[in-house]
Amino acid sequence: MLKRKVEVVVLSDLHLGTYGCHAKEILQYLNSVKPKKLILNGDIIDIWQFRKRYFPKAHLLVIKKIIALATKGTRVYYLTGNHDEKMRRFSDTKMGNIQILDKLVLTLDGKKAWFFHGDVFDASVQHTKWIAKLGGWGYDLLIILNRFINICLAKLGREKFSLSKKIKNSVKGAMKFITNFEKTATDLAIENNFDYVVCGHIHQPQIRKITNDKGSCVYLNSGDWIENLTALEYQNESWKLYYFNKNTYDTPETTASKIAMNDEDAIPEMWSAFQQLFS
């Protein structure tokens, strides 16, 4: 499989360890690219909902693939989010090409880019964490219900739809939160002279230039791998949103992905390490 060379890939909100995670699709995407830098912008492993009885092989293989990329020269930056906040005790740790951080600043072709997850702007996470955790469980159940509904719709020849997007779009408070999130992020970025501000957290893929009375910057959000299955890619001095298309990968060229899915090496050791880390 011919891999696309990309200068920077940004992934966030994979939520490995939850029923809603599309781990196989993540693995297929990672097998299709060869990034110089891979930025994991928070909520990669969902420690909030970590279950010893549920962490499928495909989820472990995503982690193994990330490590493999690092050993082959990709600089991997793991930026902590709220669902993987336990990783913050390892902030500033560096292991070969893998570095754990809370935020990251890079210069891309002379422009400053500021990367962080974005949960710092979420009052429910900062002050009423139990509500946020309860919401995480509810969201996971909603995704499972949505998948069942979409299977039924597909059998009836109907178009799939997203329950969570429907709810977000119909609830004014949710839309206001998203708008305020983007404004807060860009106001801070402009004040600190950043050209780009790159977040995750709200599961809303976006690339948009925002201007206020002090200047302007480009706001980017990498979306998620629960519903949108999106990534941000930087190449040739420009950003683009990548949307995963399953049909692209259902070809003979995906043999490498299928082989990777059957690889059993190191799975028991990795699983044991994660149980100890998150227990």
Side-chain angles (χ1 to χ4, degrees):
M1 184 176 181
L2 186 62
K3 297 187 178 185
R4 294 185 296 110
K5 291 184 179 180
V6 185
E7 188 172 339
V8 180
V9 166
V10 184
L11 297 174
S12 71
D13 299 274
L14 308 188
H15 292 277
L16 294 168
T18 66
Y19 292 107
C21 173
H22 286 264
K24 292 181 181 180
E25 287 82 354
I26 298 166
L27 189 61
Q28 287 176 319
Y29 172 70
L30 288 174
N31 278 331
S32 74
V33 292
K34 188 178 180 181
K36 289 182 180 179
K37 296 181 179 70
L38 173 62
I39 299 171
L40 304 170
N41 201 2
D43 288 1
I44 303 305
I45 303 167
D46 199 321
I47 302 171
W48 276 10
Q49 301 183 65
F50 181 74
R51 309 170 185 86
K52 289 186 178 181
R53 67 181 181 276
Y54 185 81
F55 208 96
K57 182 176 72 173
H59 295 222
L60 287 168
L61 285 172
V62 170
I63 298 166
K64 185 181 177 185
K65 177 63 183 179
I66 291 167
I67 295 170
L69 285 170
T71 60
K72 293 177 182 178
T74 297
R75 295 289 301 274
V76 177
Y77 300 95
Y78 190 123
L79 309 185
T80 56
N82 50 301
H83 283 256
D84 47 14
E85 62 184 350
K86 281 193 175 183
M87 299 293 287
R88 286 175 178 163
R89 57 181 165 170
F90 304 112
S91 290
D92 300 321
T93 299
K94 189 174 181 181
M95 301 166 288
N97 277 332
I98 301 176
Q99 191 169 4
I100 301 172
L101 299 164
D102 295 331
K103 57 184 179 293
L104 173 68
V105 175
L106 292 177
T107 300
L108 303 173
D109 297 305
K111 294 184 177 181
K112 287 173 65 181
W114 185 23
F115 302 83
F116 60 97
H117 183 62
D119 57 294
V120 67
F121 301 142
D122 192 336
S124 69
V125 172
Q126 298 302 316
H127 305 297
T128 52
K129 191 173 292 184
W130 69 272
I131 294 177
K133 288 185 176 182
L134 186 63
W137 284 98
Y139 180 71
D140 208 22
L141 290 172
L142 183 66
I143 294 300
I144 295 169
L145 175 61
N146 202 165
R147 285 190 180 179
F148 174 75
I149 292 171
N150 282 334
I151 289 170
C152 295
L153 288 173
K155 288 183 178 180
L156 294 170
R158 302 276 296 277
E159 189 175 337
K160 294 180 181 181
F161 79 104
S162 168
L163 278 172
S164 67
K165 285 182 182 178
K166 185 82 172 175
I167 293 168
K168 286 176 185 176
N169 292 338
S170 61
V171 179
K172 289 183 180 179
M175 297 308 296
K176 184 179 179 182
F177 169 76
I178 291 169
T179 302
N180 290 344
F181 179 94
E182 294 175 354
K183 184 179 185 304
T184 303
T186 50
D187 283 351
L188 278 171
I190 292 168
E191 187 176 330
N192 288 279
N193 300 312
F194 290 107
D195 299 286
Y196 308 116
V197 57
V198 188
C199 301
H201 189 58
I202 59 173
H203 296 203
Q204 295 289 312
Q206 183 72 263
I207 298 178
R208 188 157 63 97
K209 186 174 183 179
I210 297 179
T211 303
N212 64 20
D213 56 358
K214 294 182 180 179
S216 65
C217 79
V218 177
Y219 166 82
L220 303 102
N221 195 296
S222 45
D224 67 283
W225 286 80
I226 302 293
E227 294 180 88
N228 295 296
L229 280 62
T230 52
L232 284 166
E233 297 182 353
Y234 181 84
Q235 184 73 1
N236 298 326
E237 301 186 29
S238 67
W239 287 97
K240 76 170 185 178
L241 267 170
Y242 179 92
Y243 286 84
F244 181 89
N245 181 357
K246 187 177 184 297
N247 295 330
T248 303
Y249 295 87
D250 287 342
T251 64
E253 286 76 25
T254 58
T255 303
S257 297
K258 292 175 182 176
I259 291 171
M261 291 302 301
N262 292 325
D263 189 354
E264 301 285 349
D265 294 343
I267 294 300
E269 291 82 357
M270 288 179 69
W271 177 232
S272 177
F274 277 105
Q275 283 184 313
Q276 292 177 28
L277 182 62
F278 302 143
S279 59

